[in-house]
Amino acid sequence: MNPESAADGGRVVALVPAAGRGVRLGQSTPKAFVQVGGTSMLRRAVDGLVESGVVDDVVVMVPDEFVGATAELLPPGVRIVVGGAERIDSVRAGITASPDADIYLVHDAARALTPPALIARIVAELRCGRAAVVPALEVADTIKSVDIMGGVTGTPKRAELRAIQTPQGFDAALLRRAYESAGPGDAATDDAGLVERLGERVRTIPGEPLAFKITTPLDLLLADAVVGARES
Ligand code: CTP
Ligand code: MG
Protein backbone atom coordinates (compact mmCIF):
# COMPACT_ATOMS: atom_id res chain seq x y z
CA MET A 1 0.00 0.00 0.00
CA ASN A 2 2.88 2.33 0.81
CA PRO A 3 6.05 0.74 -0.54
CA GLU A 4 8.32 3.73 0.28
CA SER A 5 8.07 3.45 4.05
CA ALA A 6 8.88 -0.26 3.80
CA ALA A 7 12.29 0.73 2.52
CA ASP A 8 13.34 2.72 5.59
CA GLY A 9 13.38 0.25 8.41
CA GLY A 10 10.80 -2.46 8.05
CA ARG A 11 7.28 -3.23 7.11
CA VAL A 12 4.51 -1.54 9.13
CA VAL A 13 1.32 -3.61 9.32
CA ALA A 14 -1.78 -2.09 10.90
CA LEU A 15 -4.13 -4.62 12.51
CA VAL A 16 -7.66 -3.27 12.92
CA PRO A 17 -9.88 -5.24 15.29
CA ALA A 18 -13.44 -4.72 14.05
CA ALA A 19 -15.11 -8.00 15.01
CA GLY A 20 -16.86 -6.82 18.18
CA ARG A 21 -20.65 -6.81 18.51
CA GLY A 22 -20.97 -3.34 20.04
CA VAL A 23 -23.20 -4.44 22.90
CA ARG A 24 -22.78 -1.14 24.77
CA LEU A 25 -23.65 0.88 21.67
CA GLY A 26 -26.84 -1.12 21.44
CA GLN A 27 -27.40 -1.14 17.65
CA SER A 28 -28.39 -4.20 15.61
CA THR A 29 -25.28 -3.85 13.38
CA PRO A 30 -21.82 -4.72 14.77
CA LYS A 31 -20.27 -1.45 15.94
CA ALA A 32 -17.51 -1.11 13.32
CA PHE A 33 -20.19 -1.07 10.60
CA VAL A 34 -22.25 1.66 12.25
CA GLN A 35 -21.91 4.97 10.43
CA VAL A 36 -20.45 8.20 11.76
CA GLY A 37 -21.41 11.14 9.56
CA GLY A 38 -22.51 8.77 6.78
CA THR A 39 -19.34 6.64 6.69
CA SER A 40 -18.74 3.44 8.68
CA MET A 41 -16.37 3.57 11.64
CA LEU A 42 -14.26 0.86 10.02
CA ARG A 43 -13.81 2.85 6.80
CA ARG A 44 -12.93 5.98 8.77
CA ALA A 45 -10.36 4.10 10.85
CA VAL A 46 -8.77 2.53 7.75
CA ASP A 47 -8.72 5.88 5.91
CA GLY A 48 -6.91 7.46 8.87
CA LEU A 49 -4.24 4.75 8.78
CA VAL A 50 -3.75 5.20 5.02
CA GLU A 51 -3.66 9.02 5.34
CA SER A 52 -0.92 8.78 7.99
CA GLY A 53 1.45 7.75 5.18
CA VAL A 54 3.39 5.42 7.52
CA VAL A 55 1.46 2.18 7.06
CA ASP A 56 2.42 -0.44 4.44
CA ASP A 57 -0.42 -2.93 4.91
CA VAL A 58 -3.79 -2.87 6.63
CA VAL A 59 -5.42 -6.06 7.93
CA VAL A 60 -8.96 -5.81 9.32
CA MET A 61 -10.58 -8.46 11.50
CA VAL A 62 -14.35 -8.63 11.11
CA PRO A 63 -17.23 -10.95 12.03
CA ASP A 64 -17.44 -14.01 9.79
CA GLU A 65 -20.70 -12.96 8.14
CA PHE A 66 -19.35 -9.46 7.32
CA VAL A 67 -16.39 -10.50 5.17
CA GLY A 68 -18.28 -9.84 1.91
CA ALA A 69 -19.73 -6.52 3.06
CA THR A 70 -16.28 -5.41 4.25
CA ALA A 71 -14.73 -6.01 0.83
CA GLU A 72 -17.26 -3.58 -0.68
CA LEU A 73 -16.71 -1.02 2.06
CA LEU A 74 -12.91 -0.74 2.00
CA PRO A 75 -10.32 0.33 -0.59
CA PRO A 76 -8.64 -2.44 -2.60
CA GLY A 77 -5.50 -3.85 -1.00
CA VAL A 78 -6.86 -4.00 2.53
CA ARG A 79 -6.74 -7.59 3.81
CA ILE A 80 -9.84 -9.00 5.46
CA VAL A 81 -9.59 -11.71 8.11
CA VAL A 82 -12.26 -13.34 10.29
CA GLY A 83 -12.01 -12.17 13.91
CA GLY A 84 -12.63 -14.15 17.09
CA ALA A 85 -14.83 -14.27 20.18
CA GLU A 86 -12.71 -11.84 22.22
CA ARG A 87 -10.69 -8.86 21.07
CA ILE A 88 -7.47 -10.77 21.82
CA ASP A 89 -8.60 -13.59 19.51
CA SER A 90 -9.25 -11.08 16.72
CA VAL A 91 -5.81 -9.48 17.09
CA ARG A 92 -4.20 -12.92 17.17
CA ALA A 93 -5.91 -13.76 13.86
CA GLY A 94 -4.43 -10.58 12.38
CA ILE A 95 -0.93 -11.40 13.65
CA THR A 96 -1.15 -14.90 12.15
CA ALA A 97 -2.22 -13.43 8.81
CA SER A 98 0.74 -11.05 8.62
CA PRO A 99 3.98 -12.93 9.34
CA ASP A 100 6.00 -10.44 7.26
CA ALA A 101 5.46 -7.46 9.62
CA ASP A 102 8.44 -5.76 11.26
CA ILE A 103 6.24 -3.30 13.15
CA TYR A 104 2.63 -3.81 14.22
CA LEU A 105 0.14 -1.07 14.90
CA VAL A 106 -3.00 -2.35 16.62
CA HIS A 107 -5.80 0.17 16.12
CA ASP A 108 -9.46 -0.17 17.16
CA ALA A 109 -12.01 0.45 14.41
CA ALA A 110 -14.05 2.09 17.16
CA ARG A 111 -11.47 4.93 17.39
CA ALA A 112 -12.77 6.12 14.05
CA LEU A 113 -11.73 9.79 14.32
CA THR A 114 -8.10 9.24 15.34
CA PRO A 115 -5.92 11.97 13.77
CA PRO A 116 -3.43 10.52 11.22
CA ALA A 117 -0.69 12.63 12.86
CA LEU A 118 -1.00 10.53 16.04
CA ILE A 119 -0.53 7.34 13.99
CA ALA A 120 2.60 8.85 12.41
CA ARG A 121 3.97 9.85 15.83
CA ILE A 122 3.63 6.28 17.16
CA VAL A 123 5.51 4.87 14.15
CA ALA A 124 8.21 7.56 14.46
CA GLU A 125 8.86 6.44 18.06
CA LEU A 126 9.17 2.80 16.95
CA ARG A 127 11.55 3.82 14.17
CA CYS A 128 13.70 5.47 16.87
CA GLY A 129 14.16 2.06 18.49
CA ARG A 130 11.33 1.91 21.06
CA ALA A 131 9.72 -1.55 21.19
CA ALA A 132 6.26 -0.68 22.55
CA VAL A 133 4.58 2.74 22.35
CA VAL A 134 1.02 3.75 23.29
CA PRO A 135 -0.90 7.06 23.28
CA ALA A 136 -1.94 8.24 26.75
CA LEU A 137 -4.19 10.98 28.11
CA GLU A 138 -4.40 12.35 31.64
CA VAL A 139 -7.67 11.37 33.29
CA ALA A 140 -10.22 13.97 34.34
CA ASP A 141 -12.17 11.83 36.81
CA THR A 142 -10.89 10.44 40.07
CA ILE A 143 -10.55 6.66 39.60
CA LYS A 144 -11.25 4.25 42.45
CA SER A 145 -10.95 0.50 42.75
CA VAL A 146 -13.98 -1.32 44.17
CA ASP A 147 -14.86 -4.81 45.37
CA ILE A 148 -17.73 -6.91 43.97
CA MET A 149 -20.14 -5.29 46.45
CA GLY A 150 -19.24 -1.81 45.18
CA GLY A 151 -17.23 -0.94 48.28
CA VAL A 152 -14.22 1.30 47.62
CA THR A 153 -10.90 -0.47 48.10
CA GLY A 154 -8.55 2.29 46.98
CA THR A 155 -7.95 5.62 45.27
CA PRO A 156 -4.80 5.60 43.11
CA LYS A 157 -3.15 9.01 42.69
CA ARG A 158 -4.80 10.58 39.66
CA ALA A 159 -1.56 12.25 38.54
CA GLU A 160 -0.07 8.79 38.02
CA LEU A 161 -2.99 7.45 35.95
CA ARG A 162 -3.44 7.64 32.19
CA ALA A 163 -6.24 6.63 29.83
CA ILE A 164 -4.65 4.56 27.04
CA GLN A 165 -5.73 4.80 23.40
CA THR A 166 -4.80 3.19 20.11
CA PRO A 167 -2.92 2.85 17.82
CA GLN A 168 -0.57 0.87 20.02
CA GLY A 169 2.73 0.22 18.26
CA PHE A 170 5.10 -2.70 18.75
CA ASP A 171 8.22 -4.30 17.44
CA ALA A 172 6.61 -7.25 15.65
CA ALA A 173 8.72 -9.96 17.31
CA LEU A 174 7.81 -8.58 20.75
CA LEU A 175 4.07 -8.55 20.05
CA ARG A 176 4.22 -12.10 18.64
CA ARG A 177 6.01 -13.22 21.82
CA ALA A 178 3.41 -11.48 23.98
CA TYR A 179 0.60 -13.27 22.15
CA GLU A 180 2.36 -16.62 22.40
CA SER A 181 2.35 -16.24 26.19
CA ALA A 182 -1.36 -15.36 26.36
CA GLY A 183 -4.07 -18.01 26.25
CA PRO A 184 -7.10 -17.88 23.93
CA GLY A 185 -9.88 -15.70 25.33
CA ASP A 186 -7.48 -13.94 27.73
CA ALA A 187 -9.25 -11.02 29.40
CA ALA A 188 -6.52 -8.43 28.63
CA THR A 189 -8.18 -5.20 27.44
CA ASP A 190 -5.21 -3.95 25.48
CA ASP A 191 -2.19 -5.31 23.68
CA ALA A 192 0.38 -3.36 25.70
CA GLY A 193 -0.89 -5.22 28.79
CA LEU A 194 0.37 -8.50 27.32
CA VAL A 195 3.77 -6.93 26.62
CA GLU A 196 3.94 -5.59 30.20
CA ARG A 197 3.43 -9.14 31.50
CA LEU A 198 6.66 -10.14 29.74
CA GLY A 199 8.43 -7.52 31.87
CA GLU A 200 9.09 -5.32 28.84
CA ARG A 201 8.89 -1.53 29.10
CA VAL A 202 5.96 0.19 27.38
CA ARG A 203 6.38 3.91 26.60
CA THR A 204 3.61 6.48 26.45
CA ILE A 205 3.37 9.50 24.19
CA PRO A 206 0.67 12.20 24.48
CA GLY A 207 -2.61 10.93 23.04
CA GLU A 208 -5.34 12.87 21.25
CA PRO A 209 -8.85 13.61 22.52
CA LEU A 210 -10.16 12.78 19.02
CA ALA A 211 -8.79 9.24 19.33
CA PHE A 212 -11.59 8.50 21.85
CA LYS A 213 -13.27 5.11 21.57
CA ILE A 214 -16.88 5.18 20.40
CA THR A 215 -18.44 2.88 22.96
CA THR A 216 -21.84 4.25 24.02
CA PRO A 217 -24.70 6.11 22.27
CA LEU A 218 -23.37 9.36 23.80
CA ASP A 219 -19.95 8.74 22.19
CA LEU A 220 -21.66 8.22 18.82
CA LEU A 221 -23.54 11.51 19.22
CA LEU A 222 -20.24 13.25 19.96
CA ALA A 223 -18.52 11.65 16.96
CA ASP A 224 -21.39 12.67 14.65
CA ALA A 225 -21.20 16.23 16.01
CA VAL A 226 -17.42 16.38 15.44
CA VAL A 227 -17.80 15.25 11.82
CA GLY A 228 -20.73 17.62 11.29
CA ALA A 229 -18.78 20.59 12.67
CA ARG A 230 -15.79 19.70 10.48
CA GLU A 231 -17.91 19.54 7.32
CA SER A 232 -19.85 22.76 7.90
N1 CTP B 1 -13.19 -6.31 18.79
C1 CTP B 1 -12.84 -7.38 17.96
N2 CTP B 1 -13.19 -8.66 18.29
C2 CTP B 1 -13.88 -8.91 19.41
C3 CTP B 1 -14.24 -7.84 20.29
C4 CTP B 1 -13.86 -6.54 19.94
O1 CTP B 1 -12.21 -7.17 16.92
N3 CTP B 1 -14.24 -10.16 19.68
C5 CTP B 1 -12.86 -4.92 18.38
C6 CTP B 1 -14.11 -4.04 18.27
O2 CTP B 1 -14.72 -4.24 17.00
C7 CTP B 1 -13.56 -2.66 18.46
C8 CTP B 1 -12.31 -2.89 19.35
O3 CTP B 1 -12.06 -4.30 19.35
O4 CTP B 1 -13.14 -2.03 17.26
C9 CTP B 1 -12.52 -2.36 20.75
O5 CTP B 1 -13.54 -3.12 21.40
P1 CTP B 1 -14.88 -2.50 22.00
O6 CTP B 1 -14.87 -1.02 21.94
O7 CTP B 1 -15.14 -3.19 23.30
O8 CTP B 1 -15.97 -2.96 20.89
P2 CTP B 1 -17.10 -4.07 21.03
O9 CTP B 1 -16.52 -5.28 21.70
O10 CTP B 1 -17.69 -4.22 19.69
O11 CTP B 1 -18.16 -3.34 21.99
P3 CTP B 1 -18.87 -3.93 23.30
O12 CTP B 1 -17.73 -4.33 24.24
O13 CTP B 1 -19.70 -2.82 23.79
O14 CTP B 1 -19.67 -5.13 22.82
MG1 MG C 1 -15.80 -5.16 23.73
Short mmCIF file of all heavy atoms in Angstrom, two decimals, residues 178-205:
data_model
loop_
_atom_site.label_atom_id
_atom_site.label_comp_id
_atom_site.label_asym_id
_atom_site.label_seq_id
_atom_site.Cartn_x
_atom_site.Cartn_y
_atom_site.Cartn_z
N ALA A 178 4.43 -11.79 22.98
CA ALA A 178 3.41 -11.48 23.98
C ALA A 178 2.15 -12.31 23.74
O ALA A 178 1.53 -12.82 24.67
CB ALA A 178 3.08 -9.99 23.93
N TYR A 179 1.79 -12.49 22.46
CA TYR A 179 0.60 -13.27 22.15
C TYR A 179 0.83 -14.76 22.34
O TYR A 179 -0.11 -15.49 22.67
CB TYR A 179 0.08 -12.93 20.74
CG TYR A 179 -0.96 -11.83 20.81
CD1 TYR A 179 -0.58 -10.50 20.95
CD2 TYR A 179 -2.31 -12.13 20.81
CE1 TYR A 179 -1.52 -9.50 21.07
CE2 TYR A 179 -3.27 -11.12 20.93
CZ TYR A 179 -2.87 -9.82 21.05
OH TYR A 179 -3.81 -8.84 21.20
N GLU A 180 2.07 -15.20 22.14
CA GLU A 180 2.36 -16.62 22.40
C GLU A 180 2.17 -16.96 23.87
O GLU A 180 1.76 -18.06 24.23
CB GLU A 180 3.81 -16.96 21.99
CG GLU A 180 3.94 -17.27 20.51
CD GLU A 180 5.38 -17.14 20.01
OE1 GLU A 180 6.32 -17.23 20.83
OE2 GLU A 180 5.54 -16.91 18.79
N SER A 181 2.43 -15.97 24.74
CA SER A 181 2.35 -16.24 26.19
C SER A 181 0.94 -16.05 26.74
O SER A 181 0.69 -16.35 27.90
CB SER A 181 3.32 -15.33 26.93
OG SER A 181 2.87 -14.00 26.85
N ALA A 182 0.02 -15.57 25.90
CA ALA A 182 -1.36 -15.36 26.36
C ALA A 182 -2.25 -16.48 25.84
O ALA A 182 -2.11 -16.90 24.69
CB ALA A 182 -1.88 -14.02 25.86
N GLY A 183 -3.16 -16.95 26.69
CA GLY A 183 -4.07 -18.01 26.25
C GLY A 183 -5.20 -17.46 25.41
O GLY A 183 -5.44 -16.25 25.42
N PRO A 184 -5.94 -18.35 24.68
CA PRO A 184 -7.10 -17.88 23.93
C PRO A 184 -8.16 -17.34 24.88
O PRO A 184 -8.32 -17.85 25.99
CB PRO A 184 -7.61 -19.13 23.20
CG PRO A 184 -6.78 -20.27 23.66
CD PRO A 184 -5.72 -19.78 24.60
N GLY A 185 -8.82 -16.26 24.49
CA GLY A 185 -9.88 -15.70 25.33
C GLY A 185 -9.38 -14.98 26.56
O GLY A 185 -10.15 -14.65 27.46
N ASP A 186 -8.07 -14.70 26.61
CA ASP A 186 -7.48 -13.94 27.73
C ASP A 186 -8.24 -12.61 27.89
O ASP A 186 -8.67 -12.00 26.93
CB ASP A 186 -6.01 -13.67 27.37
CG ASP A 186 -5.22 -13.08 28.52
OD1 ASP A 186 -5.52 -11.95 28.93
OD2 ASP A 186 -4.30 -13.75 28.98
N ALA A 187 -8.41 -12.19 29.15
CA ALA A 187 -9.25 -11.02 29.40
C ALA A 187 -8.52 -9.68 29.25
O ALA A 187 -9.10 -8.63 29.54
CB ALA A 187 -9.86 -11.12 30.79
N ALA A 188 -7.26 -9.69 28.78
CA ALA A 188 -6.52 -8.43 28.63
C ALA A 188 -7.32 -7.45 27.77
O ALA A 188 -7.88 -7.84 26.75
CB ALA A 188 -5.17 -8.70 27.99
N THR A 189 -7.38 -6.18 28.20
CA THR A 189 -8.18 -5.20 27.44
C THR A 189 -7.33 -4.41 26.46
O THR A 189 -7.87 -3.66 25.65
CB THR A 189 -8.92 -4.23 28.38
OG1 THR A 189 -7.97 -3.64 29.27
CG2 THR A 189 -10.01 -4.95 29.17
N ASP A 190 -6.03 -4.54 26.54
CA ASP A 190 -5.21 -3.95 25.48
C ASP A 190 -3.97 -4.80 25.23
O ASP A 190 -3.65 -5.72 25.99
CB ASP A 190 -4.89 -2.47 25.75
CG ASP A 190 -3.77 -2.28 26.77
OD1 ASP A 190 -3.52 -3.21 27.57
OD2 ASP A 190 -3.17 -1.19 26.77
N ASP A 191 -3.32 -4.49 24.11
CA ASP A 191 -2.19 -5.31 23.68
C ASP A 191 -0.95 -5.01 24.51
O ASP A 191 -0.18 -5.91 24.82
CB ASP A 191 -1.96 -5.06 22.18
CG ASP A 191 -3.26 -5.29 21.44
OD1 ASP A 191 -3.62 -6.46 21.27
OD2 ASP A 191 -3.95 -4.30 21.10
N ALA A 192 -0.79 -3.74 24.89
CA ALA A 192 0.38 -3.36 25.70
C ALA A 192 0.38 -4.15 27.01
O ALA A 192 1.44 -4.49 27.54
CB ALA A 192 0.37 -1.86 25.97
N GLY A 193 -0.81 -4.46 27.54
CA GLY A 193 -0.89 -5.22 28.79
C GLY A 193 -0.20 -6.57 28.69
O GLY A 193 0.44 -7.04 29.64
N LEU A 194 -0.29 -7.20 27.52
CA LEU A 194 0.37 -8.50 27.32
C LEU A 194 1.89 -8.32 27.27
O LEU A 194 2.63 -9.17 27.76
CB LEU A 194 -0.12 -9.13 26.02
CG LEU A 194 -1.63 -9.44 25.93
CD1 LEU A 194 -1.95 -10.00 24.55
CD2 LEU A 194 -2.04 -10.43 27.01
N VAL A 195 2.33 -7.22 26.69
CA VAL A 195 3.77 -6.93 26.62
C VAL A 195 4.31 -6.63 28.02
O VAL A 195 5.39 -7.09 28.39
CB VAL A 195 4.01 -5.75 25.65
CG1 VAL A 195 5.44 -5.24 25.74
CG2 VAL A 195 3.69 -6.18 24.21
N GLU A 196 3.53 -5.90 28.82
CA GLU A 196 3.94 -5.59 30.20
C GLU A 196 4.17 -6.87 31.00
O GLU A 196 5.08 -6.97 31.81
CB GLU A 196 2.87 -4.74 30.89
CG GLU A 196 2.76 -3.32 30.36
CD GLU A 196 1.36 -2.73 30.58
OE1 GLU A 196 0.80 -2.96 31.66
OE2 GLU A 196 0.85 -2.08 29.67
N ARG A 197 3.30 -7.87 30.76
CA ARG A 197 3.43 -9.14 31.50
C ARG A 197 4.75 -9.83 31.23
O ARG A 197 5.21 -10.64 32.02
CB ARG A 197 2.31 -10.10 31.08
CG ARG A 197 0.99 -9.80 31.75
CD ARG A 197 0.07 -10.96 31.42
NE ARG A 197 -1.31 -10.51 31.32
CZ ARG A 197 -2.27 -11.19 30.72
NH1 ARG A 197 -2.00 -12.34 30.14
NH2 ARG A 197 -3.49 -10.72 30.68
N LEU A 198 5.35 -9.56 30.05
CA LEU A 198 6.66 -10.14 29.74
C LEU A 198 7.77 -9.40 30.48
O LEU A 198 8.95 -9.78 30.38
CB LEU A 198 6.94 -10.05 28.23
CG LEU A 198 6.00 -10.82 27.29
CD1 LEU A 198 6.42 -10.57 25.84
CD2 LEU A 198 6.02 -12.30 27.59
N GLY A 199 7.42 -8.32 31.16
CA GLY A 199 8.43 -7.52 31.87
C GLY A 199 9.09 -6.49 30.97
O GLY A 199 10.09 -5.89 31.33
N GLU A 200 8.50 -6.28 29.78
CA GLU A 200 9.09 -5.32 28.84
C GLU A 200 8.50 -3.92 29.10
O GLU A 200 7.36 -3.79 29.50
CB GLU A 200 8.77 -5.72 27.39
CG GLU A 200 9.36 -7.05 26.98
CD GLU A 200 10.88 -7.02 26.82
OE1 GLU A 200 11.44 -5.92 26.61
OE2 GLU A 200 11.48 -8.10 26.94
N ARG A 201 9.31 -2.90 28.83
CA ARG A 201 8.89 -1.53 29.10
C ARG A 201 8.00 -1.01 27.98
O ARG A 201 8.34 -1.13 26.79
CB ARG A 201 10.13 -0.65 29.22
CG ARG A 201 9.87 0.73 29.78
CD ARG A 201 11.22 1.33 30.20
NE ARG A 201 11.09 2.73 30.55
CZ ARG A 201 10.62 3.17 31.72
NH1 ARG A 201 10.19 2.31 32.62
NH2 ARG A 201 10.55 4.46 31.97
N VAL A 202 6.87 -0.45 28.35
CA VAL A 202 5.96 0.19 27.38
C VAL A 202 6.04 1.70 27.60
O VAL A 202 5.92 2.17 28.72
CB VAL A 202 4.51 -0.30 27.59
CG1 VAL A 202 3.55 0.45 26.66
CG2 VAL A 202 4.41 -1.81 27.37
N ARG A 203 6.27 2.45 26.51
CA ARG A 203 6.38 3.91 26.60
C ARG A 203 5.06 4.55 26.23
O ARG A 203 4.35 4.06 25.36
CB ARG A 203 7.42 4.43 25.59
CG ARG A 203 8.82 3.98 25.90
CD ARG A 203 9.31 4.75 27.10
NE ARG A 203 10.71 4.45 27.34
CZ ARG A 203 11.58 5.32 27.83
NH1 ARG A 203 11.18 6.55 28.11
NH2 ARG A 203 12.82 4.98 28.04
N THR A 204 4.78 5.70 26.86
CA THR A 204 3.61 6.48 26.45
C THR A 204 4.07 7.72 25.70
O THR A 204 5.16 8.25 25.94
CB THR A 204 2.76 6.92 27.65
OG1 THR A 204 3.53 7.80 28.49
CG2 THR A 204 2.27 5.73 28.45
N ILE A 205 3.22 8.16 24.78
CA ILE A 205 3.37 9.50 24.19
C ILE A 205 2.01 10.20 24.38
O ILE A 205 1.00 9.52 24.63
CB ILE A 205 3.76 9.48 22.69
CG1 ILE A 205 2.65 8.85 21.83
CG2 ILE A 205 5.08 8.75 22.48
CD1 ILE A 205 2.81 9.13 20.34
#
